[in-house]
Amino acid sequence: MNGSVYFCYFDETGLLNSRRDKFFGVAMIKIAKPEILYEAVKTLRDQLKFYDEIKWNKIYSKNAPVIKQFIDLFFECEKAKFSCYIFEKKDLDLKKHFKNNLYAAYQSFASMQVCANLSPTDSAILIMDDLSTPKDVHFERNIKRKINQNEKFSHNPALGVMRAYSKGVEIIQLTDLLLGAVCYEFKLNAGLIPGPGVPKKEVLKHVIKKAGVKTLAVDLKTNRFDVWTFKAK
């Protein structure tokens, strides 16, 4: 095996069983040397004396300029790549495909995303935002098995899978931030936000500009930013 080893930081938004949100998203940041991005975030936090958790739903007028600077750090880190899958819940037949098991659905989506973003010789360590599961759901084990059994690979690419509280993992927070921007634009286009806040709209525009695209609410693929939308057949 001569491929690279990557760290994949995962976040999801709009729980599948929640009626409040029309969309469900799974996203990850793939990076070979996360310590570089972590150190940049830590340095900026210390410079600004800003130690709040970085989350899309916590953007307001006072911290929007700071949030933009954290977004800049991601795009300045050339070895980091963001990708996300967006599902419109009405198109997801959980009963048919996952026996109404939202944990099985999330495991499948996350595994599929990792396999799509690794080359046949690459390996990965997955750090996922904490998700409470029943005792009989072996979350990490299931995801690792799904990835390692994928026919794309002749080796076991998933070296390890663990959950962590996002409040203590900077790159999971950045994943949440970028996924939040994508989902926000989908919601805007669907007319689900009748009175969109100016701070979030400003941050959304900043992400679009940094990604070098016209919109995030479509299928797109660049060197740094991918969005894939599920289409029911």
Side-chain angles (χ1 to χ4, degrees):
M1 183 185 71
N2 298 315
S4 300
V5 176
Y6 290 96
F7 290 80
C8 298
Y9 295 82
F10 266 88
D11 190 47
E12 58 80 29
T13 187
L15 286 175
L16 284 172
N17 63 346
S18 171
R19 295 182 179 181
R20 296 178 302 171
D21 211 324
K22 184 178 180 180
F23 297 97
F24 172 73
V26 179
M28 78 175 200
I29 286 178
K30 184 184 80 170
I31 185 169
K33 296 181 178 180
E35 65 273 15
I36 296 176
L37 183 53
Y38 166 75
E39 187 61 35
V41 173
K42 182 177 181 297
T43 299
L44 181 59
R45 281 190 180 279
D46 291 340
Q47 289 175 347
L48 301 176
K49 305 299 181 184
F50 182 88
Y51 300 107
D52 295 345
E53 186 176 8
I54 308 167
K55 291 183 71 67
W56 180 263
N57 64 11
K58 293 184 178 180
I59 294 176
Y60 51 93
S61 58
K62 289 185 178 180
N63 70 4
V66 176
I67 296 299
K68 291 180 184 179
Q69 293 185 62
F70 287 113
I71 291 170
D72 292 344
L73 293 181
F74 166 78
F75 285 101
E76 290 167 6
C77 186
E78 295 180 357
K79 301 299 182 181
K81 179 181 178 180
F82 172 84
S83 65
C84 68
Y85 289 174
I86 304 296
F87 304 84
E88 192 165 351
K89 291 179 182 177
K90 68 178 179 61
D91 294 331
L92 276 173
D93 193 339
L94 290 179
K95 183 176 181 180
K96 177 181 178 180
H97 298 292
F98 299 103
K99 299 179 180 179
N100 275 338
N101 188 327
L102 68 93
Y103 306 110
Y106 182 28
Q107 291 163 18
S108 292
F109 300 150
S111 303
M112 180 172 64
Q113 193 169 18
V114 171
C115 293
N117 281 278
L118 295 181
S119 79
T121 57
D122 288 338
S123 297
I125 298 170
L126 279 65
I127 300 94
M128 312 187 73
D129 188 20
D130 185 63
L131 176 70
S132 296
T133 56
K135 290 183 178 179
D136 61 341
V137 175
H138 305 292
F139 191 75
E140 291 85 352
R141 186 191 310 173
N142 293 341
I143 290 179
K144 187 175 182 180
R145 184 181 68 251
K146 284 179 177 293
I147 296 171
N148 287 342
Q149 290 178 347
N150 191 288
E151 62 184 12
K152 175 180 180 178
F153 307 101
S154 59
H155 66 295
N156 291 333
L159 301 179
V161 182
M162 66 169 287
R163 279 175 281 183
Y165 288 112
S166 61
K167 194 170 184 178
V169 186
E170 305 287 8
I171 304 180
I172 290 181
Q173 294 177 44
L174 289 176
T175 309
D176 174 276
L177 198 59
L178 296 173
L179 176 59
V182 175
C183 288
Y184 194 75
E185 187 171 10
F186 271 95
K187 294 174 188 177
L188 282 175
N189 292 349
L192 299 178
I193 308 176
V198 173
K200 286 186 178 179
K201 288 184 69 176
E202 289 181 352
V203 175
L204 171 61
K205 291 178 181 178
H206 191 72
V207 175
I208 291 173
K209 180 179 179 180
K210 284 292 181 178
V213 297
K214 294 182 179 180
T215 176
L216 304 179
V218 293
D219 287 337
L220 64 90
K221 188 176 184 64
T222 74
N223 291 334
R224 305 294 308 285
F225 209 101
D226 291 357
V227 176
W228 177 81
T229 56
F230 173 80
K231 299 171 183 63
K233 295 182 180 179

